[in-house]
Amino acid sequence: MSVSVRDALRMAALYVVFSILWLVLSEGVLRTMSDDPLALTVGRQINVVIWVLVSALLIFVTRARLLNFIGIGARLRRDDRERLRMAAAVFDSTLEGVLVTDRRGLIVHVNRAFMRITGYQQEEVLGQRPSKFKSGRHGVPFYQQIYATLAEKGEWSGEIWNRRKSGEIYPQWQTICAISDDNGELSHYVAVFSDISAIKHSEQELAYLAHHDPLTGLPNRLLFNDRAEQALAAAQANKRGCALLLLDLDHFQSINDGLGHTIGDQLLKLVGERLREVLGSGVTLARLGGDEFGVLAENCQQVGQAGKLAQLIIERMREPFDFDGHRLFISASVGISLFPSDALSAEQLLRNADSALFKAKGNGRACYALYTEELTAHAQHRVETAGELRQALAQDELRVFYQPVHDLFTGKMVGVEALARWQHPQRGLVPPGEFIPIAERTGLIAEIDAWVLRQACRQMVHWQGEGRGLAFVAVNISSRLFGQHELYRQVAEVLHETGLDPALLELEVTESAVMEDPEVALEQLHRLRELGLNLAIDDFGTGYSSLLRLKRMPVQKLKIDQGFVAGLPQDDDDIAIVRVIIALARSMGMQVHAEGIEQAEQAQFLLAQQCQLGQGYWFGRPVPAGALNWG
């Protein structure tokens, strides 16, 4: 019997009971009111009419409420149908795959996304079990853990690998929920999943980019260090040797500057490909940054093997690179460090190879050098000196010494050259050959040159006030400072600040600094010349000057490098070079100034060749301003 029938019977029984009670009670009331049969008859008829009216009222109220309930139910059913249609639309159009099973685990429904992701059609999977899609990558404990979580929490989420209809195994992120009926009994399972193959692919790409150079595709420094550590651990366990080679392309920056970074990048890619061909398998090759490459050769027991490999790399790098209408030549320098003789860790091995590479560059480049303990000590000394030099600038430990410049015809001192010296609080006077190269590599040389310029101008003003008859004070300008486009403004500010007559200042620029960027250098020299000062080319003959550019430069003096003066007057080559430089300068209306004169015979020879000026130990060493000999 249905619920509605039972409710109807209850209402009928209630009506019968209520009617009997009404009749019994009304009869008792009538009898108490009168014993007259006629009155009782009339009363009973009135009672019947009243009951009919009451029954009609009850029927009306019940009917109205029933109709209202039916209307509400209809509206509820209409809303439910609307919600069901919306849920069905979402279920069918969602990008996530949806799979529904009954309590026994048999598939009863899937959506379109399921079919798109898995490749199965609905009729192929209905009545089947989800085990149909197993990839085989998960063991029984994995699925037992899923069922245990569902039984305990009613929901499970996680990554799972399944198989498409095509046989392809792919990753999913899946959420499974257990559905219960009105009685709390398990009725269905619903699984919602997303295909995360693209995410996995992106993760792999990110992992690749984190460990590889994007330009050449070679391992980067991070991966190279990791492989080096693994290789050294294996080598130590098997008692065998390894070699680490650090390779740097010589003067690669000139290619970027001259042809652009696009050509430079293409060249780096070709260098990487050529190195792969040379090294073959069994050797780890990496691009560590810029134009620096690392090579890790396992099973390299002897120095000779590492040397042969380095020489092979150097020779192959000498071969031309032809691409995009360019034919480029480049050389490489290589530093070698060996395990276990040179280092026991990857970090130390790389650091030692870097020291050896620095030695190879110092030996003229396009060669290789082996690591020695002296290189580490020298490198450590360079680092310490660089730090102390920065501190020296801050604590005013630098000094300016002045070396006299003499007129070779009269023998009188006509000028001085300002030179930087370092008065170390513990080591005393540090030789310039020790700290000047470090200052050039660290970039401190520009700051030192600017400081020397200011001090020299102040001192020259002081000498002029004392009536000293000096014609000029010469100050060296390094390529670092000369490369600053605002140099002329800096010099103008110093001249204005000190009040020095610009005609008394001479700036010396090295030949190599001028030729790094000739057009820019020419503009810089003209601006400096407009200030009214004099210009000199220092170390002339040691670089690669173009005589055509030299003719265009507003230079008043050429300084003969001391390397050409040292062999005078015996060395025929030095004699020929000095004569050519003097003749060139005189023909272009320039003064000639010889450096490094240490013997009277050298001074006499230069005088005989019509060289006007000279300086060197023969005339006087660099000394503080107060120690100059004015006699």
Side-chain angles (χ1 to χ4, degrees):
M1 186 180 293
S2 66
V3 175
S4 59
V5 173
R6 286 198 299 268
D7 290 342
L9 289 175
R10 289 194 193 98
M11 291 297 295
L14 182 62
Y15 181 75
V16 170
V17 171
F18 187 74
S19 298
I20 294 171
L21 288 175
W22 177 277
L23 293 174
V24 171
L25 290 174
S26 62
E27 183 66 24
V29 171
L30 288 174
R31 287 185 181 279
T32 58
M33 293 177 60
S34 175
D35 292 331
D36 184 9
L38 181 61
L40 291 173
T41 302
V42 173
R44 290 189 183 100
Q45 291 175 352
I46 294 172
N47 183 47
V48 171
V49 172
I50 293 174
W51 175 241
V52 169
L53 294 175
V54 171
S55 297
L57 178 62
L58 289 174
I59 292 172
F60 173 77
V61 172
T62 305
R63 178 67 176 175
R65 296 191 63 182
L66 177 61
L67 290 175
N68 184 54
F69 177 78
I70 292 172
I72 293 173
R75 288 196 298 273
L76 289 175
R77 286 193 295 274
R78 187 170 60 251
D79 292 343
D80 288 343
R81 287 195 298 271
E82 185 68 24
R83 282 193 292 268
L84 286 173
R85 281 196 297 269
M86 293 172 60
V90 171
F91 177 82
D92 206 38
S93 62
T94 181
L95 296 178
E96 285 77 21
V98 181
L99 177 148
V100 182
T101 71
D102 59 17
R103 70 179 67 188
R104 296 175 299 165
L106 300 178
I107 299 174
V108 296
H109 193 58
V110 295
N111 68 345
R112 283 189 298 177
F114 171 91
M115 294 183 281
R116 175 179 53 80
I117 294 173
T118 65
Y120 287 99
Q121 296 302 311
Q122 184 173 355
E123 58 272 13
E124 296 178 283
V125 297
L126 292 181
Q128 302 289 325
R129 294 185 181 275
S131 57
K132 178 182 181 70
F133 316 120
K134 280 185 178 181
S135 64
R137 294 187 59 165
H138 305 292
V140 174
F142 176 79
Y143 296 103
Q144 289 177 341
Q145 186 268 332
I146 293 178
Y147 296 138
T149 303
L150 284 172
E152 179 183 354
K153 300 180 179 179
E155 183 178 342
W156 175 88
S157 293
E159 182 181 306
I160 186 171
W161 289 75
N162 278 332
R163 190 184 300 274
R164 305 185 205 270
K165 182 180 180 180
S166 62
E168 177 192 356
I169 297 174
Y170 68 104
Q172 294 178 349
W173 183 262
Q174 189 170 118
T175 299
I176 305 176
C177 294
I179 308 299
S180 301
D181 59 17
D182 293 339
N183 297 323
E185 298 294 331
L186 177 66
S187 62
H188 295 85
Y189 290 104
V190 177
V192 181
F193 61 90
S194 300
D195 184 352
I196 57 173
S197 301
I199 297 176
K200 285 290 184 181
H201 182 67
S202 298
E203 290 176 353
Q204 293 174 357
E205 285 187 341
L206 289 174
Y208 180 86
L209 291 175
H211 295 89
H212 290 80
D213 171 50
L215 178 64
T216 62
L218 296 173
N220 60 11
R221 183 180 292 271
L222 180 64
L223 182 57
F224 184 75
N225 289 341
D226 182 62
R227 290 185 179 178
E229 290 175 358
Q230 295 179 15
L232 295 191
Q236 192 168 17
N238 298 322
K239 296 183 179 180
R240 64 171 186 261
C242 291
L244 193 151
L245 285 69
L246 206 58
L247 179 150
D248 188 85
L249 303 180
D250 299 328
H251 305 297
F252 179 76
Q253 187 59 39
S254 61
I255 293 176
N256 278 338
D257 293 341
L259 300 176
H261 288 274
T262 301
I263 298 299
D265 288 347
Q266 292 181 7
L267 178 60
L268 286 173
K269 291 175 66 175
L270 293 176
V271 167
E273 293 173 4
R274 183 172 293 182
L275 287 174
R276 283 195 190 99
E277 296 174 1
V278 172
L279 299 172
S281 60
V283 176
T284 299
L285 171 65
R287 183 189 177 204
L288 306 183
D291 60 340
E292 189 176 68
F293 294 82
V295 177
L296 180 64
E298 302 181 46
N299 296 319
C300 190
Q301 306 289 344
Q302 300 176 351
V303 175
Q305 290 178 270
K308 288 181 180 178
L309 181 60
Q311 191 60 42
L312 178 61
I313 292 173
I314 292 170
E315 291 175 358
R316 285 298 306 275
M317 285 299 105
R318 287 198 181 106
E319 298 176 9
F321 290 88
D322 297 309
F323 63 97
D324 292 348
H326 296 278
R327 186 177 180 85
L328 301 181
F329 293 85
I330 196 164
S331 61
S333 302
V334 181
I336 303 174
S337 180
L338 300 175
F339 171 88
S341 58
D342 295 336
L344 297 177
S345 69
E347 180 183 359
Q348 186 63 44
L349 199 66
L350 190 62
R351 190 160 56 242
N352 292 348
D354 188 58
S355 297
L357 176 61
F358 184 81
K359 178 183 177 183
K361 290 182 177 180
N363 291 343
R365 303 178 185 267
C367 63
Y368 70 87
L370 298 169
Y371 167 78
T372 62
E373 292 184 3
E374 289 77 10
L375 291 178
T376 298
H378 184 58
Q380 184 176 0
H381 177 68
R382 289 200 312 269
V383 174
E384 292 175 352
T385 302
E388 292 178 345
L389 188 55
R390 293 182 186 275
Q391 187 176 0
L393 281 167
Q395 298 184 357
D396 198 25
E397 295 177 5
L398 295 183
R399 304 287 183 268
V400 180
F401 279 30
Y402 299 89
Q403 186 172 26
V405 178
H406 283 249
D407 186 321
L408 296 181
F409 292 97
T410 64
K412 293 182 179 181
M413 182 171 68
V414 294
V416 292
E417 180 178 359
L419 302 168
R421 294 295 183 265
W422 181 9
Q423 187 66 44
H424 195 280
Q426 284 81 37
R427 297 162 57 190
L429 197 63
V430 180
E434 183 175 334
F435 75 89
I436 292 297
I438 294 176
E440 290 175 346
R441 283 194 297 271
T442 58
L444 288 174
I445 191 65
E447 191 174 346
I448 293 174
D449 285 349
W451 179 83
V452 171
L453 174 65
R454 182 170 280 101
Q455 297 299 318
C457 289
R458 287 175 180 169
Q459 185 61 53
M460 191 63 173
V461 170
H462 178 72
W463 282 330
Q464 292 297 306
E466 292 180 344
R468 303 296 185 184
L470 293 178
F472 65 89
V473 58
V475 179
N476 291 294
I477 299 297
S478 65
S479 58
R480 291 266 188 172
L481 185 58
F482 187 72
Q484 298 178 5
H485 297 294
E486 301 300 315
L487 173 61
Y488 73 99
R489 291 187 180 177
Q490 189 174 354
V491 174
E493 288 175 2
V494 171
L495 292 172
H496 177 73
E497 175 188 328
T498 59
L500 179 64
D501 181 358
L504 299 176
L505 176 62
E506 180 179 288
L507 295 184
E508 298 182 359
V509 184
T510 61
E511 186 180 5
S512 57
V514 172
M515 299 314 298
E516 282 184 3
D517 194 340
E519 296 304 320
V520 174
L522 185 62
E523 180 185 0
Q524 188 87 287
L525 291 173
H526 277 289
R527 287 188 174 186
L528 291 170
R529 181 59 182 156
E530 289 172 0
L531 295 175
L533 50 81
N534 296 305
L535 299 171
I537 298 295
D538 196 14
D539 301 335
F540 186 78
T542 60
Y544 42 91
S545 286
S546 163
L547 296 182
L548 178 61
R549 290 196 179 99
L550 180 63
K551 183 182 70 171
R552 296 165 56 195
M553 291 179 183
V555 176
Q556 291 75 49
K557 182 188 291 185
L558 293 183
K559 295 188 71 174
I560 304 174
D561 184 78
Q562 59 185 350
F564 302 130
V565 176
L568 300 178
Q570 291 84 18
D571 190 282
D572 293 338
D573 292 335
D574 288 343
I575 291 173
I577 292 173
V578 168
R579 283 176 174 169
V580 168
I581 294 175
I582 293 174
L584 174 65
R586 289 175 62 84
S587 67
M588 299 181 70
M590 299 180 186
Q591 282 188 315
V592 186
H593 180 151
E595 296 181 301
I597 301 175
E598 298 183 355
Q599 301 172 7
E601 293 82 0
Q602 294 171 339
Q604 292 170 2
F605 175 84
L606 290 166
L607 177 60
Q609 300 301 317
Q610 301 296 307
C611 178
Q612 295 101 326
L613 303 174
Q615 75 182 89
Y617 288 177
W618 175 252
F619 299 106
R621 293 174 177 269
V623 293
L628 272 176
N629 183 4
W630 298 97

